[in-house]
Amino acid sequence: KSSSGRWDVGEIFVHSKVLIVDDKIAVIGSANVNDRSFIGTSDSELGVILTDDDAGAADSRKIGCVRDFRLRLWRQYLGLSLDGKDDASISNP
């Protein structure tokens, strides 16, 4: 029940959006790119920004958190092996 004592029968639908830039920045959230989401008076939105300053470092064995996130996401959506053995096809888009 709400604070007014009435039952709330509305439904909540959450669908996320992901924007990944150069394996260095990832924006993950629910906001749409429009006034309705950005003005903040009608929709409630949530978002997070991940940054990886170490991406592309001299040590090529190092995998940054944003690149790792992209690879994991693409493996899942493209039906690739989750252990990374198919990463050659997605490692450098």
Side-chain angles (χ1 to χ4, degrees):
K1 289 186 179 182
S2 69
S3 59
S4 68
R6 297 187 314 228
W7 288 100
D8 183 6
V9 295
E11 295 180 357
I12 297 174
F13 294 97
V14 176
H15 62 279
S16 63
K17 288 85 175 175
V18 175
L19 171 70
I20 300 173
V21 180
D22 296 333
D23 286 345
K24 294 183 180 182
I25 299 171
V27 181
I28 307 162
S30 61
N32 294 302
V33 182
N34 60 31
D35 287 345
R36 185 173 151 183
S37 290
F38 290 147
I39 291 174
T41 57
S42 62
D43 287 349
S44 297
E45 306 295 351
L46 181 66
V48 64
I49 298 174
L50 299 175
T51 60
D52 190 355
D53 296 331
D54 292 330
D59 185 353
S60 63
R61 296 169 298 169
K62 186 170 189 175
I63 295 179
C65 66
V66 175
R67 182 173 186 265
D68 183 56
F69 171 71
R70 176 181 61 81
L71 292 173
R72 289 172 184 254
L73 192 66
W74 285 16
R75 286 178 202 137
Q76 180 181 355
Y77 285 121
L78 297 173
L80 301 174
S81 173
L82 298 179
D83 63 6
K85 67 180 180 182
D86 299 324
D87 282 1
S89 61
I90 61 171
S91 63
N92 188 9

